[in-house]
Amino acid sequence: MDTAELEAKVIEFIASKVENIDTSTITTASKFEELGLDSMDTVQLLFDAEDAFGVTFDGEEVKNLRSVGDIITYISEHPPEGKG
Amino acid sequence: MRIVVTGMGIVSPIGASVDQFWKNAVAGVSGIGGIQSFDTTKQRSKIAGEVTGFDPTAFLSTKQIEQTDRFTQLALHAAQQALEDAQGLEGYQPRRLAVCLGSGMGGFSTFEFSATRRLQNKSVPPFSVPRIMANSAAAWIATRYGLKGPNLTCSTACSSAANAIGMALDLLRTGKADAVVTGGAEACVLPLTMTGFEALFALSTGFNADPAHASRPFAKGRDGFVMGEGAGILVLETEEAALKRGAKIYARLAGYGCACDATHIVAPDVDGQVAAMQASLDDAGMTSGQVDYINAHATSTPIGDVIETKAIKQLFGERAPEIPISATKSMIGHSIGASAAIGSIAAIMTLQTGTIHPTINLLEADPECDLNYTPNSAVEKKVQTALCNAFGFGGNNVSIVFTTL
């Protein structure tokens, strides 16, 4: 998966998870809090993203993931096993 | 102080509204079938009373669904019905509105799911704990409707909802609340939970090819209970306040009694059951001679139905054979911590309609079960006092008394 494709897929995934937001405004720069997600919503989002993208977010590093772009970077730096 | 029922809601294998449930119960419709929700290849009991077609997206947001176990979703649906039915609770102060629910297992579908992931070294859903905790359903009902008074959960296995309804009665009598949303919810048609009951030889295993006939309380050849799921919710308030606000009143909740066997962790005991029934009548200020219907606990286990029969005979003496009894579980299986709430709704509908629903699959009774169990067909009879029994693991015995006004 190239970067543009991954970006599109992550944005599409996040658009399916947020509520009461114009999903067309979501960009890689969007911070979770700007998307109406509180800290518990974000933890749930990341949990769902693990299954959707076949990654496992490190328990400590998860605290540094604050934006759509952070997820994309993390996934590209930690490709799913056997698919890298 | 007289306490009355002013709202009811139900989600069951034979109906997700009181009207639908009651219509099917009177008609003797079985809600038992082969399990749809998971692969039963490795189960010995492959059947259950499942709530099929339940769609939480119809009334909950994606976020609410992510944060709730199925038992909470079932409770929320029944609570929505009950509160719409009761109407007008907004006239009470929010701090005077309580929730008191029962659940035997709590969010066990989440527990099984999260435990499986943990054992596979996968991440565990962040809402695992708030979904699993037994008080999750009560907390969600309070949050959804702004019920800011006492919020209690009672977990006494199969008698949970009966204890919860009794505790709700006590909250009202002691002035700790003006109205209580009470009842029970359970959703444990699940591989680990069922395997646990299988290991105790508590579940029916001989009717996998004929599920509709598996739950057969008091009948010859019964071989265990059939797992069920569902929720039943009642709204309780004082008769005085209900009349004042012009509420529709279904029945009076007249008495509650409970007693522990203190003998064995799972085996039932006649004395404890008699003590609970007697305590509920004492609490209601009534005598056994006034009871004219019993909604039995009757799970369809070989021993349980015989013990309950003996207990009824011991308490009611020579009147015992005259009292119509019926077993709601013959149609819906055993919904554990929800079962007494569903049995209560059946008892209240009996008071309301003058119809006693049948115990189905009772073509030939066990010789040791020789009372009037309303076999196979509903009976028309004016009932003024109904006793609802619930007995649970841990030696818990609970009875509640409902009467007409």
Side-chain angles (χ1 to χ4, degrees), chain A residues 19 41 43-44 47-48 50-51, chain B residues 62-63 66 117 123 125-126:
Chain A
E19 289 170 343
D41 296 334
V43 178
Q44 180 73 43
F47 170 76
D48 291 336
E50 287 191 344
D51 281 2
Chain B
T62 306
K63 188 166 154 180
E66 278 173 355
R117 288 185 65 99
S123 298

Side-chain angles (χ1 to χ4, degrees), chain B residues 13-31:
Chain B
I14 56 169
S17 69
V18 172
D19 287 347
Q20 197 189 1
F21 162 78
W22 186 243
K23 194 170 149 240
N24 284 328
V26 170
V29 172
S30 170

Side-chain angles (χ1 to χ4, degrees), chain B residues 46-177:
Chain B
K46 301 174 190 291
I47 57 173
E50 291 181 289
V51 175
T52 52
F54 177 73
D55 177 17
T57 64
F59 67 105
L60 296 174
S61 69
T62 306
K63 188 166 154 180
Q64 288 170 328
I65 291 168
E66 278 173 355
Q67 297 183 4
T68 49
D69 185 89
R70 181 174 171 86
F71 96 106
T72 295
Q73 295 167 6
L74 297 174
L76 282 168
H77 194 265
Q80 181 174 308
Q81 295 168 40
L83 286 162
E84 280 172 7
D85 190 28
Q87 294 178 6
L89 290 193
E90 53 279 2
Y92 290 114
Q93 294 293 321
R95 295 277 177 220
R96 302 288 302 163
L97 295 172
V99 183
C100 189
L101 283 203
S103 185
M105 309 296 288
F108 232 65
S109 94
T110 301
F111 175 83
E112 293 200 15
F113 177 80
S114 296
T116 303
R117 288 185 65 99
R118 180 68 191 86
L119 294 170
Q120 292 167 340
N121 287 318
K122 289 183 184 166
S123 298
V124 166
F127 279 86
S128 294
V129 170
R131 283 171 53 139
I132 293 168
M133 63 192 196
N135 64 316
S136 168
W140 272 92
I141 291 172
T143 304
R144 194 152 200 233
Y145 297 101
L147 313 178
K148 298 184 173 180
N151 192 280
L152 303 175
T153 296
C154 181
S155 189
T156 55
C158 308
S159 56
S160 300
N163 277 125
I165 292 168
M167 287 162 59
L169 176 66
D170 289 343
L171 283 174
L172 291 162
R173 283 172 168 172
T174 55
K176 292 191 167 66

Side-chain angles (χ1 to χ4, degrees), chain B residues 4-347:
Chain B
V4 294
V5 180
T6 56
M8 299 197 288
I10 190 168
V11 184
S12 82
I14 56 169
S17 69
V18 172
D19 287 347
Q20 197 189 1
F21 162 78
W22 186 243
K23 194 170 149 240
N24 284 328
V26 170
V29 172
S30 170
I32 310 299
I35 291 172
Q36 308 287 312
S37 57
F38 66 91
D39 176 8
T40 58
T41 308
K42 291 184 177 170
Q43 304 295 139
R44 290 195 289 120
S45 181
K46 301 174 190 291
I47 57 173
E50 291 181 289
V51 175
T52 52
F54 177 73
D55 177 17
T57 64
F59 67 105
L60 296 174
S61 69
T62 306
K63 188 166 154 180
Q64 288 170 328
I65 291 168
E66 278 173 355
Q67 297 183 4
T68 49
D69 185 89
R70 181 174 171 86
F71 96 106
T72 295
Q73 295 167 6
L74 297 174
L76 282 168
H77 194 265
Q80 181 174 308
Q81 295 168 40
L83 286 162
E84 280 172 7
D85 190 28
Q87 294 178 6
L89 290 193
E90 53 279 2
Y92 290 114
Q93 294 293 321
R95 295 277 177 220
R96 302 288 302 163
L97 295 172
V99 183
C100 189
L101 283 203
S103 185
M105 309 296 288
F108 232 65
S109 94
T110 301
F111 175 83
E112 293 200 15
F113 177 80
S114 296
T116 303
R117 288 185 65 99
R118 180 68 191 86
L119 294 170
Q120 292 167 340
N121 287 318
K122 289 183 184 166
S123 298
V124 166
F127 279 86
S128 294
V129 170
R131 283 171 53 139
I132 293 168
M133 63 192 196
N135 64 316
S136 168
W140 272 92
I141 291 172
T143 304
R144 194 152 200 233
Y145 297 101
L147 313 178
K148 298 184 173 180
N151 192 280
L152 303 175
T153 296
C154 181
S155 189
T156 55
C158 308
S159 56
S160 300
N163 277 125
I165 292 168
M167 287 162 59
L169 176 66
D170 289 343
L171 283 174
L172 291 162
R173 283 172 168 172
T174 55
K176 292 191 167 66
D178 290 336
V180 190
V181 176
T182 185
E186 204 75 77
C188 61
V189 180
L190 297 164
L192 173 61
T193 307
M194 289 190 62
T195 302
F197 282 107
E198 282 171 6
L200 285 166
F201 295 95
L203 292 181
S204 169
T205 56
F207 292 84
N208 289 332
D210 184 18
H213 295 102
S215 189
R216 42 175 53 225
F218 308 112
K220 227 175 180 177
R222 67 189 184 283
D223 70 341
F225 80 82
V226 176
M227 187 59 81
E229 62 175 353
I233 299 287
L234 306 178
V235 175
L236 305 180
E237 52 194 307
T238 67
E239 184 180 35
E240 190 185 355
L243 288 172
K244 199 170 165 189
R245 73 178 187 87
K248 170 182 57 192
I249 297 176
Y250 285 102
R252 178 178 165 229
L253 171 55
Y256 158 58
C258 51
C260 184
D261 297 331
T263 52
H264 192 283
I265 197 72
V266 299
D269 179 67
V270 172
D271 288 348
Q273 297 184 3
V274 171
M277 288 189 279
Q278 183 64 59
S280 71
L281 292 168
D282 292 346
D283 187 48
M286 302 180 81
T287 64
S288 65
Q290 291 173 272
V291 173
D292 45 16
Y293 169 66
I294 299 172
N295 186 280
H297 182 61
T299 63
S300 187
T301 61
I303 186 169
D305 299 353
V306 172
I307 297 293
E308 186 170 12
T309 297
K310 286 181 177 167
I312 291 169
K313 285 180 178 178
Q314 187 169 316
L315 181 66
F316 293 94
E318 61 186 25
R319 263 195 82 235
E322 295 166 19
I323 305 169
I325 298 166
S326 59
T328 310
K329 293 180 185 76
S330 64
M331 292 172 278
I332 61 172
H334 190 358
S335 51
I336 312 291
S339 66
I342 294 174
S344 292
I345 289 171

